Amino acid sequence: MSVVHALSVDVEDWFQVLNMAHVIDRADWARLELRCGDATKRLLDLLAKRDQGATFFFLGWIAERLPRLVEEVAAAGHEVGSHGYDHRVLHDLGRDGFRADLGRTADVLRGITGSAPTAFRACTWSVTKRTPWAIDELLRAGVTVDSSIQPVRHPDYGVVGAPAHAYRLCGEHGELLELPPLTWRVCGRTVPVGGGGYLRLFPLAFLRAGLRQKERLGEPGCLYLHPWEVDPEQPRQALGGLRGFRHYVNLHRTEGKLDRLLQQYRFGSLSAALAQRGASWRAKLPAFRASELLG
């Protein structure tokens, strides 16, 4: 049986990326040009052309300002998930702040689509050992599928030793399915290749190798990108050095690289990718207590 991989889009605008926090003040967001609507529609057109599905993780801040965009995503048959309200990392929000943030975003999306989101991705993969309480708050909010844990070592995020495949994550209020972004196991190392800067910087051979590894195991991989990554004409900021290079490298190539992947592999939403093997497969996924994995 062919594997349906998960494709996801974090719907945030060019000025909301964490890389911009030191050059663009949140207080100025409302006066800046919204560009993610047009970029997201280009992604919708590409997915329709290739008959592919995805999960779109919306910031509540964006959804409030572009409700029609949320409606178009849902009408096209894609999954609408939550990316939090205004792109704050969880350890800055704190547990109570995260609970309020989840509720606020769910209210916005419910008001547009008629139902609360059951899929979630944290800003900058910030479900880490600093935020072990996040899983219980997600479960309390009715989230059933999460993709917020990077199983790699990185100065800003990551849980070293976390599974690089789908697994069950258990808390006090039940369990959810965790689908981490795609990695490639090579030469004894776990290399992140699943999207974002990795999609733009690495050759497609790296991503294909990661997807083939998943397919040999009968498991879905998870790719991700952002609307601003298919918008090479966005306003440029003086981010400096390595930060600036990583942020702007190969923006003009993102859409073409994604299209080549769409023509070679099958993609769907996170929920669809995790449902394709049935309840018995999901029940056999390894289970981890959040307090132990993230404690």
Side-chain angles (χ1 to χ4, degrees):
M1 183 182 77
S2 62
V3 174
V4 177
H5 299 289
L7 178 64
S8 53
V9 181
D10 295 352
V11 186
E12 60 201 51
D13 225 312
W14 63 273
F15 52 82
Q16 297 174 310
V17 186
L18 206 61
N19 272 340
M20 299 288 179
H22 69 297
V23 295
I24 298 178
D25 194 293
R26 286 178 182 273
D28 295 329
W29 281 10
R31 67 174 181 80
L32 297 174
E33 178 189 11
L34 283 176
R35 299 179 61 91
C36 72
D38 289 342
T40 301
K41 288 177 182 178
R42 287 204 300 276
L43 290 172
L44 286 173
D45 289 343
L46 178 59
L47 291 172
K49 178 181 178 181
R50 301 302 180 197
D51 191 25
Q52 302 274 28
T55 296
F56 286 75
F57 291 106
F58 275 89
L59 288 182
W61 193 96
I62 291 293
E64 281 182 336
R65 288 156 178 79
L66 299 174
R68 179 58 186 157
L69 182 65
V70 182
E71 292 174 352
E72 289 181 28
V73 167
H78 303 295
E79 182 174 39
V80 173
S82 169
H83 195 35
Y85 182 75
D86 59 355
H87 217 245
R88 297 177 190 268
V89 291
L90 271 56
H91 48 265
D92 284 348
L93 281 170
R95 184 165 188 167
D96 290 342
F98 181 46
R99 183 182 300 177
D101 187 269
L102 279 174
R104 184 180 186 182
T105 307
D107 286 346
V108 172
L109 294 176
R110 184 189 296 109
I112 299 169
T113 68
S115 59
T118 58
F120 177 80
R121 174 169 290 146
C123 165
T124 318
W125 315 104
S126 54
V127 174
T128 67
K129 290 183 180 293
R130 299 176 66 180
T131 58
W133 36 261
I135 301 306
D136 277 322
E137 292 305 323
L138 290 173
L139 289 167
R140 187 193 301 271
V143 170
T144 59
V145 174
D146 180 62
S147 182
S148 301
I149 300 177
Q150 271 273 16
V152 299
R153 188 184 303 277
H154 187 280
D156 297 325
Y157 53 73
V159 178
V160 177
H165 51 75
Y167 56 99
R168 293 177 290 144
L169 201 46
C170 308
E172 295 179 3
H173 303 284
E175 67 177 36
L176 53 73
L177 294 178
E178 182 71 28
L179 185 60
L182 180 69
T183 56
W184 176 30
R185 188 68 179 172
V186 59
C187 299
R189 301 193 63 176
T190 301
V191 180
V193 295
Y198 307 116
L199 169 65
R200 291 182 280 112
L201 180 61
F202 290 159
L204 279 181
F206 284 26
L207 282 81
R208 290 177 177 132
L211 291 170
R212 286 197 300 270
Q213 279 186 345
K214 295 298 182 188
E215 291 183 346
R216 286 195 293 270
L217 296 171
E219 299 175 353
C222 179
L223 300 189
Y224 68 94
L225 73 158
H226 309 82
W228 57 264
E229 291 183 286
V230 297
D231 181 17
E233 304 304 318
Q234 66 189 267
R236 300 291 179 110
Q237 307 298 306
L239 300 180
L242 181 60
R243 185 195 299 265
F245 170 77
R246 289 186 306 190
H247 191 76
Y248 292 121
V249 65
N250 291 334
L251 290 178
H252 62 291
R253 296 180 178 173
T254 312
E255 192 168 352
K257 292 177 79 171
L258 175 62
D259 191 23
R260 292 197 292 277
L261 290 171
L262 293 176
Q263 293 179 66
Q264 187 172 359
Y265 300 93
R266 294 301 303 164
F267 290 96
S269 68
L270 270 74
S271 293
L274 288 167
Q276 65 187 299
R277 299 290 298 277
S280 61
W281 176 78
R282 296 195 300 275
K284 293 176 183 177
L285 290 174
F288 300 85
R289 293 208 62 81
S291 58
E292 296 172 355
L293 186 68
L294 303 176

